[in-house]
Amino acid sequence: MTTGITSLAERAKQQLAEVTGFSPVAAVGGFKDEEGWHITVDMLEMARLPESTDIIGTYAVLLDQDGNMVKFEKKRARLRSEPYEEGE
């Protein structure tokens, strides 16, 4: 299956939402290696007021060559207003 990274990122967001029950915010990274496609996705884990205090979880998702999720792992949680740290 030949699929672009844009559609693979959308698939990762949809499949992760189905598994976790959280709402996807954005795909924030991706690359391909011998294991498959590695997509990093931010998910809204808890909505709060003001929105800057929402809890955002960052997840690493592994998709196989057909775009099916075979693994996911939560990497961290942060407030929406917090910037990404160096090296993320």
Side-chain angles (χ1 to χ4, degrees), residues 4 7 11 26-28 34 43 58 72 84 87:
S7 60
R11 286 185 60 118
V28 295
E34 64 280 347
M43 303 292 283
T58 301
F72 75 95
Y84 281 95

Side-chain angles (χ1 to χ4, degrees), residues 44 46-55 79-80:
L44 176 62
M46 183 184 299
R48 298 163 133 184
L49 291 176
E51 286 183 357
S52 62
T53 63
D54 287 350
I55 304 296
L79 295 177
R80 185 185 292 269

Side-chain angles (χ1 to χ4, degrees), residues 67-83:
N68 298 310
M69 185 170 66
V70 294
K71 178 181 172 183
F72 75 95
E73 178 181 6
K74 182 175 179 177
K75 293 299 190 175
R76 73 180 295 244
R78 63 180 174 81
L79 295 177
R80 185 185 292 269
S81 62
E82 289 179 5

